[in-house]
Amino acid sequence: MSASDVVVCGLGPAGRALAHRCLARGLTVTVVDPAPDRRWTATYAAWADELPGWLAPSAVAATVERPMAWGTRAHRIDRPYVVLDTERLRESLDIAGAEVVADRARELTAKTVTLTDGRILDGRRVIDVRGITRSPAFAEQTAYGLVLDESRCQGLEPLFMDWRADNGAPADAPRSFLYAVPLGGGQTLLEETCLAGRPALDGAALRDRLHHRLRSRGIELAGDERVERVRFPVGGGRPGRFTFGAAGGFGHPATGYSVAASLTAADAVAAGETVWPASARAVHRLRAAGLRALLALPPTDLPVFFDAFFTMPPAAQRAYLSARTDLNGTVKAMSRLFTTLPSAQRRRVAGATLGMRVRSRIRIPSAIMEE
């Protein structure tokens, strides 16, 4: 078997997008996945301005022009938010023309893949897109969601996150928020989410909180609703030439979002371009500091923290959430957020990020700690 131009290991959204864009460039592609035809069951969403122009419009199931967020008070986010149709997204990332190997990659080098059956595949480039293996060392995001007919959610507008304390949890317990978005086709996802925890809240606790929250808002459950369960690490990605998607550090450490960033970068990776300049590596480290700050905050502080975040101008929010190579914008956003926080929170955030070092040619301070 002759060597392919690219061997992509892993066929989640990031891997499939990378294989699709490699084929679009006329490269020969081999894809490796133990279940290459499996359906994607998670809900993927993004800010509309994050998505690449080549993405098929049919991949978008629903758009929320100005979603709501709640800390201790309401905030209208002036930025369109889209929910993707997972099946149409998968279909649009066509990989016809790739050689599909239904096996598990056991060992990877820069140019070879050893499969569990002992075969060795050769490639001019081998890229690991298999995601991140769970570990006690990594904080995780967990969620428990139910899909309801939108007619049963009257009066509940789309919510990017809602930290209000009506889910039955004690005030000093680890916090979770309600995420509520349209899925298209008259359906709505209502999901109780632990943003990040080490350890994170388990599914049973989140289920009980969601049921309590929905009852408190007058939303009755029939008991036969489709369930969505979420659990994945929000750290552990390794930026580099031979990793991509969450495995390659494209997940936002403080939010867990990775799909839009991976879709956007897929063309550049397919072309063999550098997608981790010094500025991107610095931003990655600053975002990791943001995760440490979130993990250090007491549960009662989280709604106040997000009040400060969503009070910032849309450009500052966008810089922190989406601009993975905009070091200047990220520093300004984090500095602005820090100075907006109450003094007690500033001390806790500073304590969580003291000693942070950003190894790059660009000299920057630990901006999240500056007053």
Side-chain angles (χ1 to χ4, degrees):
M1 183 185 301
S2 61
S4 297
D5 291 321
V6 183
V7 181
V8 176
C9 297
L11 276 179
R16 197 173 178 97
L18 177 58
H20 172 71
R21 300 316 292 170
C22 286
L23 289 165
R25 296 184 67 85
L27 303 176
T28 56
V29 178
T30 298
V31 295
V32 180
D33 193 284
D37 296 323
R38 74 188 184 283
R39 296 181 62 193
W40 299 337
T41 58
T43 297
Y44 302 119
W47 301 104
D49 54 30
E50 293 178 317
L51 297 175
W54 56 260
L55 187 67
S58 62
V60 175
T63 300
V64 182
E65 291 298 332
R66 299 178 70 224
M68 181 72 78
W70 275 84
T72 63
R73 60 186 187 275
H75 305 270
R76 184 70 66 181
I77 305 173
D78 193 16
R79 190 181 184 194
Y81 185 74
V82 299
V83 181
L84 301 175
D85 184 307
T86 52
E87 190 59 31
R88 289 181 179 176
L89 173 64
R90 187 178 178 280
E91 291 172 355
S92 72
L93 301 176
D94 182 21
I95 57 170
E99 179 184 358
V100 179
V101 178
D103 202 342
R104 192 176 301 277
R106 189 182 72 202
E107 184 178 342
L108 277 62
T109 71
K111 294 192 175 183
T112 65
V113 178
T114 303
L115 306 175
T116 55
D117 66 7
R119 284 181 294 163
I120 297 178
L121 306 178
D122 297 316
R124 294 177 180 83
R125 281 191 292 159
V126 171
I127 303 179
D128 186 356
V129 203
R130 295 175 297 173
I132 303 170
T133 302
R134 290 180 58 197
S135 166
F138 302 147
E140 291 186 318
Q141 183 171 127
T142 52
Y144 180 92
L146 296 173
V147 177
L148 278 66
D149 187 279
E150 63 183 14
S151 63
R152 296 164 60 191
C153 306
Q154 296 296 324
L156 181 68
E157 61 181 319
L159 295 162
F160 179 65
M161 56 172 53
D162 184 347
W163 292 96
R164 283 178 288 181
D166 61 348
N167 61 5
D172 59 350
R175 281 293 182 112
S176 57
F177 65 88
L178 177 64
Y179 174 72
V181 292
L183 299 178
Q187 294 187 313
T188 296
L189 172 67
L190 305 175
E191 199 160 73
E192 192 76 16
T193 303
C194 171
L195 182 61
R198 192 170 46 219
L201 291 167
D202 63 27
L206 292 169
R207 177 199 61 210
D208 293 345
R209 290 185 181 194
L210 179 63
H211 288 182
H212 189 284
R213 195 189 294 272
L214 297 184
R215 283 196 304 270
S216 72
R217 301 192 186 191
I219 298 174
E220 299 297 328
L221 300 177
D224 59 353
E225 293 83 7
R226 177 163 66 87
V227 175
E228 175 171 303
R229 294 179 176 85
V230 174
R231 188 177 206 109
F232 61 86
V234 292
R238 296 177 293 107
R241 291 181 56 206
F242 305 111
T243 54
F244 188 58
F250 282 83
H252 197 305
T255 67
Y257 280 35
S258 67
V259 172
S262 299
L263 292 172
T264 299
D267 263 333
V269 174
E273 298 172 4
T274 298
V275 293
W276 284 103
S279 60
R281 291 178 181 272
V283 167
H284 183 71
R285 293 186 177 98
L286 286 171
R287 289 175 170 183
L291 173 60
R292 292 198 300 273
L294 285 174
L295 292 171
L297 289 175
T300 52
D301 282 7
L302 279 170
V304 179
F305 179 90
F306 282 100
D307 278 337
F309 183 85
F310 288 114
T311 300
M312 293 197 304
Q317 296 179 36
R318 185 180 295 109
Y320 183 69
L321 293 175
S322 304
R324 56 177 294 274
T325 63
D326 183 2
L327 178 55
N328 186 51
T330 302
V331 168
K332 287 181 177 179
M334 295 179 78
S335 298
R336 182 165 190 152
L337 174 61
F338 183 79
T339 57
T340 305
L341 292 172
S343 59
Q345 284 200 2
R346 289 204 301 271
R347 288 193 295 271
R348 293 189 185 104
V349 168
T353 56
L354 269 171
M356 182 184 67
R357 295 172 62 194
V358 179
R359 296 185 181 91
S360 80
R361 294 187 300 271
I362 304 170
R363 288 190 163 186
I364 59 171
S366 296
I368 198 169
M369 299 185 294
E370 289 192 339
E371 296 194 50

